[in-house]
Amino acid sequence: MKKIVVLTGAGISAESGLKTFRDADGLWEGHRVEDVATPEAWDRDPEMVLDFYNQRRKQARLAKPNQAHISLAQLDQFFTTVVITQNVDDLHERAGSKKIIHLHGELFKVRSTINAKLIYDWQSDLKIGDFCESGSQLRPHIVWFGEEVPMLIVAASECRDARYCIIVGTSMQVYPAAGLVGFLPKDCEVIYIDPKPTISYELNNIKNLSLIKSKASLGVSNLIEQLIGKRETG
Ligand code: OAD
């Protein structure tokens, strides 16, 4: 089976009611990144950081996958598909995609502050005083600015043999995620779906790049219908 790598960002979940980061009224308009999404913020004011992610978790629990997540999940039947997402929500999982790499962590997991291997599923609010089995405070299982991206190597190696790469709803401004397209083979067809796509340095060097300036639900479902049809007719 041909391989499709899908790279998603906050825009794919916008139609599910979750805010993006950099659009007008985006999450970073209401918050300073340094206050809620860095290790320094955690050291300075863990309550504020917990509150930010508790709100995100509540909102994500109420959200439902939209047509873009659902259409992407259909790809598994026809292609070897890997979804690499910058999103911390679980909408790709709930839509049924099988292979998902979360580059920036997961809202519904928490981990120990002294042993990063102690990771737990978590649905409710996380509070000061919630401890891991070794007795240390738990923190959100999120990659904060300035931290390593442990899944990057896995994601980059998935890109190396892709036939198609579908990029959906990301401003391609946050590295190293945005640099992943640099690992795609030269003949890979890249399709970027976003009402306001941003052509990053790496995208500018892609030979086979098509832009679909549309919201995710419509753009993704049309594209996937075409890709499945093309595959069926050889
Ligand atoms: P951004 O907020 O930077 O970009 C969102 C993108 O979604 C923009 O390009 C919008 O045009 C697009 N968009 C908006 N509505 C859309 C819709 N209905 N359909 C499709 N696209 C739509 O979000 P990301 O690129 O995901 O990291 O941001 C990357 C990272 O920056 C996040 O993972 C987060 C953030 O800081 C961390 O917190 C570590």
Side-chain angles (χ1 to χ4, degrees):
M1 284 207 278
K2 288 179 181 162
K3 180 167 179 182
I4 300 192
V5 164
V6 184
L7 178 62
T8 65
I12 195 169
S13 299
E15 289 164 87
S16 296
L18 300 180
K19 283 186 176 185
T20 62
F21 293 92
R22 293 174 186 78
D23 286 300
D25 195 35
L27 279 171
W28 294 152
E29 252 189 23
H31 300 89
R32 286 176 2 122
V33 172
E34 312 87 76
D35 289 339
V36 292
T38 62
E40 293 76 20
W42 175 250
D43 290 341
R44 202 171 43 237
D45 192 346
E47 300 250 15
M48 184 191 273
V49 174
L50 288 177
D51 185 51
F52 178 74
Y53 287 102
N54 286 340
Q55 283 181 43
R56 306 278 78 73
R57 199 176 300 109
K58 265 192 201 122
Q59 285 164 5
R61 201 180 310 109
L62 294 174
K64 292 196 176 72
N66 64 54
Q67 193 54 48
H69 301 98
I70 293 166
S71 297
L72 285 174
Q74 288 174 6
L75 285 174
D76 284 322
Q77 295 169 53
F78 304 97
F79 299 90
T80 301
T81 308
V82 183
V83 176
I84 302 171
T85 186
Q86 297 167 84
N87 298 345
V88 294
D89 65 51
D90 62 349
L91 297 180
H92 285 301
E93 280 87 348
R94 285 200 264 143
S97 279
K98 293 204 172 62
K99 188 159 182 185
I100 303 160
I101 298 173
H102 282 274
L103 278 180
H104 293 162
E106 296 177 61
L107 269 178
F108 295 101
K109 290 189 177 164
V110 298
R111 69 171 186 263
S112 162
T113 40
I114 51 159
N115 179 356
K117 290 195 178 129
L118 294 178
I119 300 169
Y120 307 88
D121 290 332
W122 202 268
Q123 290 293 325
S124 54
D125 281 357
L126 183 61
K127 298 184 283 302
I128 299 293
D130 286 330
F131 295 132
C132 73
E133 65 211 56
S134 306
S136 78
Q137 176 64 42
L138 290 166
R139 58 162 274 181
H141 185 51
I142 301 285
V143 174
W144 287 324
F145 285 88
E147 293 189 316
E148 269 181 48
V149 182
M151 295 310 286
L152 185 74
I153 295 176
V154 186
S157 82
E158 292 290 357
C159 288
R160 287 182 199 280
D161 57 349
R163 172 71 186 80
Y164 300 100
C165 173
I166 307 173
I167 302 172
V168 191
T170 167
S171 61
M172 298 298 273
Q173 288 187 38
V174 172
Y175 286 80
L180 278 174
V181 293
F183 292 89
L184 296 168
K186 283 205 168 51
D187 59 351
C188 181
E189 268 183 61
V190 180
I191 307 111
Y192 182 9
I193 302 167
D194 193 302
K196 289 187 197 155
T198 309
I199 305 303
S200 61
Y201 170 80
E202 288 80 5
L203 280 177
N204 206 27
N205 287 330
I206 298 278
K207 210 171 46 170
N208 297 321
L209 173 66
S210 334
L211 299 181
I212 301 176
K213 292 188 187 176
S214 136
K215 286 189 174 181
S217 55
L218 186 67
V220 172
S221 51
N222 285 345
L223 173 69
I224 282 174
E225 218 170 276
Q226 279 173 33
L227 285 173
I228 292 174
K230 211 154 96 175
R231 180 205 152 271
E232 280 166 352
T233 57

